[in-house]
Amino acid sequence: EVRLVASGGGLVQPGGSLRLSCATSGFTFSIYVLGWIRQAPGKGFEWVSGVTSGGSPYYADSVKGRFTASRDNAKNTLYLQLNSLKTEDTAMYYCAKWRTVGPVSESTIKEVTNYDSWGQGTQVTVSS
């Protein structure tokens, strides 16, 4: 059974930082693209970041320069470091696994529908 368990969310002031983790099991972690997707209150899903099996990260323009995604293949864990947080970053953050094995492009890695297994989400609230 594929499992992804996100943690690390919380309440933080604007300008603050958080580190999200996603512990996984049930699949060969090292060969899959993994991603972070968020959903703000009343809005649709927004792709935030994707990390290739080789460890190369991609970011949405809205978070580029502020968020850093990484993976530890030895621990089967995906991370997202959130810095310089803004109120508009408030959302439920989900980690997710790519639907297939193989190369991805900068355009396809951003497509939310290409991620087939999602964790339960961790809430990030940015407020003063």
Side-chain angles (χ1 to χ4, degrees):
E1 178 189 5
V2 173
R3 291 195 69 203
L4 300 98
V5 181
S7 62
L11 173 63
V12 62
Q13 292 185 340
S17 298
L18 284 172
R19 189 192 194 204
L20 307 184
S21 299
C22 176
T24 74
S25 61
F27 64 99
T28 307
F29 179 87
S30 63
I31 64 174
Y32 281 93
V33 171
L34 279 296
W36 289 98
I37 296 159
R38 68 186 180 184
Q39 186 176 33
K43 296 189 177 180
F45 293 108
E46 177 190 16
W47 175 81
V48 173
S49 176
V51 184
T52 68
S53 58
S56 298
Y58 293 84
Y59 302 99
D61 288 343
S62 59
V63 307
K64 200 172 292 183
R66 301 187 298 120
F67 292 7
T68 302
S70 61
R71 62 192 295 162
D72 186 334
N73 288 344
K75 296 182 178 180
N76 293 344
T77 302
L78 177 72
Y79 302 99
L80 186 67
Q81 178 68 41
L82 292 68
N83 295 331
S84 303
L85 281 161
K86 305 176 181 180
T87 55
E88 53 262 43
D89 294 318
T90 294
M92 184 70 76
Y93 284 71
Y94 300 91
C95 55
K97 167 191 157 292
W98 194 259
R99 58 183 172 82
T100 62
V101 176
V104 298
S105 68
E106 188 167 356
S107 60
T108 60
I109 202 171
K110 300 177 181 180
E111 295 176 10
V112 171
T113 54
N114 283 330
Y115 295 86
D116 68 346
S117 299
W118 295 41
Q120 87 290 358
T122 186
Q123 178 68 38
V124 172
T125 302
V126 185
S127 175
S128 55

